Amino acid sequence: MTAFGENLSAFYAVVRRDFHVFLSYRTRLVSQILTSIFSLTLFYYVSRLVRVEGFTTPDRYFGFVVVGIALVGVLYSCFAVSETIRQELVAGTFERLLLSPFGGVRGAVATMIFPLAYAFLMASVTLGLGVVIFGMELHWSTVPLALPALFLALLAFLPFGLFFCALTVATKQANIGASWVIALLSIVGGLYFPIALLPGWAQFAAEVQPFTPATELLRHLLVDAPMETSIGLGLVKIVVFAELLVPLALYALHRAIRLGQRRGTIIEY
Amino acid sequence: MSGVLTEADFEFELPAARPAGPMPLSLRGVSKAWDKGRVPVLNRVDLDLDAGDKVRIAGRNGVGKTTLMRIAAGLIDADRGEAAVWGTSAVASPERYQRLVSFLPAGDRGLYARLSVRRQLDFWARIAMVPRREVRARVEEAIEIFDLRELADRRVDRMSMGQRQRLRIAMTFMPHPDVLLLDEPLTSLDGEGAEILFAAIERVLDRGGALLWCSPAGERLDYEFDRTYMLDEGKLVRA
């Protein structure tokens, strides 16, 4: 048995654990689908009510915002993992992860897989509902390319979740400021409206995080929204963010755990 | 007395020779203070466990027993000194160290409330890096040994405290560790559960493993230890 095989088995165990825990709450999926339908309904009528500069038809704006809604779910799931880690600290299961050869860092990374996969599924459901119920038009010829693009986007979003996991391990509080960060990223990432409408300083903020290029690229591939830059440049930005931030976030989590072990505070919650 | 030494004068028992190599568990100069500048809860503690050793640490509540166990388990670091298993340091090689030891923390935590016994065991077997092809057999073995068959498909939040403790113990033994660290393992266990635990410990010792058991002073135990130490004012004293 190789170390790779053992690690794969451990990652699989974490994903399966989260899947079974998810299944044990039977109404969760229905509740989230209903939330998605309510959001789509709201923005469908907003798109009919308000004429947004830069969009030729209400349907163009609706397609734009549906992709944003789908993506914010993915972003939110990254941050929500810190709440899961907080629950694990309280339940003593994070302690058991530390007492295993798999360890806390790999345990936290593995804990992100199911929520991200689920967020990906919910993003697809949101797009599907947009198409089926509200007649949204997808740009089918480039939709398959959205899959690898979304995978890259996930890699670029993942470090935010890991940073907040590190913060949770260090402070024992989940989501300190996470809701602010999500709100900020929603605005500067152009979730509900084009970033061109933002003031200059906010447009700078739009350039220094991966959410904006990921959203722009996915909108282009899914609903044929025009891109400010080329597809290549968008991809490069996402890859660079992922390559820079993933190792940094992993290191931050490792340091937070080691600090807790040195001080003995890792057992606190 | 003639002053002439005979062979009989040399017939005394030599202390048992320590193996030249590293010990199953070795704590060297372990110190820990919770508040810097105050009296340490552990003060240069030394402890060696040989293969087959059953050692108990007793002491008053809050004297530092659990802290010592956590350091021995590699969960927290000592301020000074180190824990090693077969020469592998808990801090320098945590992944390898965790393949050699298994720690049952005191209390009833460390379980996923909404997973069944079988899923819980399967999860921890994989996290403990039990070889993939052995996972199912280990899970069934743990279910059998710790008499969890009737509970195998029951969720943890629907089990009694004693049943949960039996599951926690099963999880601790499942990776087949070299060193067992059991912190107040009899909590909530009935007589039958205790007997199952003692039998499981003997099997680990027969394989050349070692046991460090920790429980409060005054606990009545129907189990023989090779050595018992009292932890008091940061020092281990042979009882």
Side-chain angles (χ1 to χ4, degrees):
Chain A
M1 183 80 172
T2 62
F4 176 76
E6 288 175 353
N7 273 290
L8 203 65
S9 176
F11 271 97
Y12 166 71
V14 175
V15 174
R16 208 169 59 156
R17 171 201 70 187
D18 294 338
F19 175 66
H20 286 297
V21 170
F22 172 81
L23 284 185
S24 75
Y25 294 99
R26 291 177 189 170
T27 57
R28 195 180 278 181
L29 180 64
V30 175
S31 150
Q32 284 173 336
I33 289 175
L34 284 176
T35 304
S36 184
I37 291 174
F38 292 146
S39 297
L40 291 176
T41 307
L42 174 72
F43 279 99
Y44 178 79
Y45 287 107
V46 167
S47 71
R48 263 64 196 160
L49 189 67
V50 180
R51 185 177 168 77
V52 184
E53 192 183 332
F55 294 96
T56 49
T57 65
D59 284 340
R60 297 289 287 181
Y61 175 66
F62 182 65
F64 174 95
V65 85
V66 169
V67 177
I69 291 171
L71 269 179
V72 83
V74 177
L75 183 70
Y76 185 80
S77 70
C78 290
F79 287 89
V81 173
S82 63
E83 178 57 39
T84 307
I85 296 297
R86 159 90 184 130
Q87 288 169 9
E88 296 240 2
L89 284 168
V90 173
T93 44
F94 193 73
E95 182 177 314
R96 289 204 79 104
L97 279 174
L98 293 173
L99 289 167
S100 73
F102 195 50
V105 174
R106 274 176 287 183
V109 173
T111 300
M112 298 192 80
I113 297 174
F114 179 78
L116 285 176
Y118 180 69
F120 177 79
L121 173 75
M122 284 309 297
S124 307
V125 167
T126 302
L127 291 171
L129 290 171
V131 171
V132 172
I133 300 177
F134 298 98
M136 188 180 91
E137 285 185 15
L138 284 181
H139 195 244
W140 289 105
S141 64
T142 49
V143 165
L145 292 174
L147 282 173
L150 186 60
F151 179 74
L152 276 179
L154 289 180
L155 275 183
F157 296 172
L158 185 121
F160 290 89
L162 289 173
F163 277 125
F164 274 86
C165 286
L167 205 60
T168 302
V169 169
T171 64
K172 317 299 173 195
Q173 296 175 78
N175 295 335
I176 301 178
S179 53
W180 300 347
V181 176
I182 293 172
L184 189 69
L185 287 176
S186 301
I187 294 168
V188 300
L191 176 66
Y192 301 114
F193 41 79
I195 54 171
L197 299 178
L198 296 171
W201 64 267
Q203 287 192 32
F204 169 75
E207 295 300 320
V208 292
Q209 39 75 27
F211 195 57
T212 310
T215 312
E216 199 181 21
L217 180 63
L218 283 163
R219 274 188 181 128
H220 179 70
L221 296 173
L222 290 168
V223 293
D224 197 25
M227 286 191 72
E228 294 288 314
T229 56
S230 68
I231 293 178
L233 186 60
L235 276 173
V236 167
K237 277 184 180 176
I238 298 169
V239 170
V240 167
F241 277 121
E243 203 155 308
L244 283 176
L245 294 178
V246 169
L248 254 175
L250 288 173
Y251 180 73
L253 181 58
H254 170 73
R255 293 308 305 164
I257 290 172
R258 284 298 303 137
L259 186 70
Q261 289 185 305
R262 262 210 318 277
R263 291 183 172 171
T265 54
I266 198 75
I267 53 165
E268 295 172 1
Y269 50 93
Chain B
M1 199 166 172
S2 67
V4 178
L5 294 173
T6 65
E7 268 187 45
D9 293 304
F10 290 98
E11 284 177 6
F12 54 87
E13 197 177 327
L14 289 166
R18 291 288 185 202
M23 308 293 289
L25 176 68
S26 169
L27 301 176
R28 284 272 168 270
V30 168
S31 296
K32 186 78 182 174
W34 285 111
D35 298 306
K36 298 295 170 211
R38 293 187 63 183
V39 180
V41 68
L42 299 172
N43 190 3
R44 282 175 285 181
V45 170
D46 292 319
L47 181 67
D48 284 323
L49 264 66
D50 209 341
D53 269 356
K54 301 182 266 189
V55 173
R56 179 186 176 203
I57 295 175
R60 289 176 289 110
N61 293 141
V63 81
K65 302 184 296 295
T66 293
T67 300
L68 183 63
M69 295 295 272
R70 284 169 171 163
I71 291 170
L75 181 60
I76 61 173
D77 296 358
D79 293 339
R80 279 195 304 274
E82 72 161 1
V85 168
W86 299 117
T88 298
S89 159
V91 175
S93 311
E95 184 173 337
R96 181 163 162 64
Y97 191 85
Q98 294 302 338
R99 287 173 187 265
L100 301 170
V101 300
S102 200
F103 175 43
L104 175 75
D108 64 345
R109 296 165 70 240
L111 296 171
Y112 291 103
R114 298 183 74 92
L115 290 188
S116 70
V117 165
R118 194 187 301 278
R119 291 198 195 289
Q120 198 105 223
L121 288 168
D122 183 275
F123 174 76
W124 290 114
R126 290 173 192 274
I127 294 300
M129 305 284 201
V130 167
R132 233 182 335 177
R133 66 184 65 160
E134 289 179 35
V135 168
R136 187 170 292 181
R138 293 281 186 98
V139 169
E140 291 308 315
E141 179 193 68
I143 285 173
E144 206 58 51
I145 290 174
F146 293 94
D147 197 17
L148 293 164
R149 181 70 57 198
E150 281 182 24
L151 303 169
D153 297 314
R154 190 178 299 179
R155 254 170 42 186
V156 166
D157 55 0
R158 295 170 180 167
M159 287 163 55
S160 74
M161 296 300 278
Q163 289 170 333
R164 290 181 200 190
Q165 182 68 348
R166 208 182 276 203
L167 171 59
R168 294 173 79 240
I169 291 169
M171 282 156 46
T172 309
F173 281 77
M174 196 170 44
H176 292 179
D178 285 2
V179 176
L180 276 171
L181 304 165
L182 306 180
D183 193 355
E184 302 190 24
L186 295 181
T187 306
S188 303
L189 275 192
D190 57 16
E192 187 194 342
E195 287 305 319
I196 291 172
L197 168 64
F198 297 145
I201 290 171
E202 290 304 320
R203 276 192 289 275
V204 172
L205 299 177
D206 289 345
R207 287 202 311 263
L211 165 71
L212 187 58
W213 174 297
C214 159
S215 56
E219 184 186 57
R220 290 180 62 184
L221 271 171
D222 296 327
Y223 192 65
E224 291 286 316
F225 292 92
D226 298 320
R227 283 171 283 153
T228 296
Y229 294 93
M230 293 294 291
L231 184 61
D232 192 32
E233 296 186 350
K235 299 280 190 189
L236 280 182
V237 182
R238 186 89 180 251

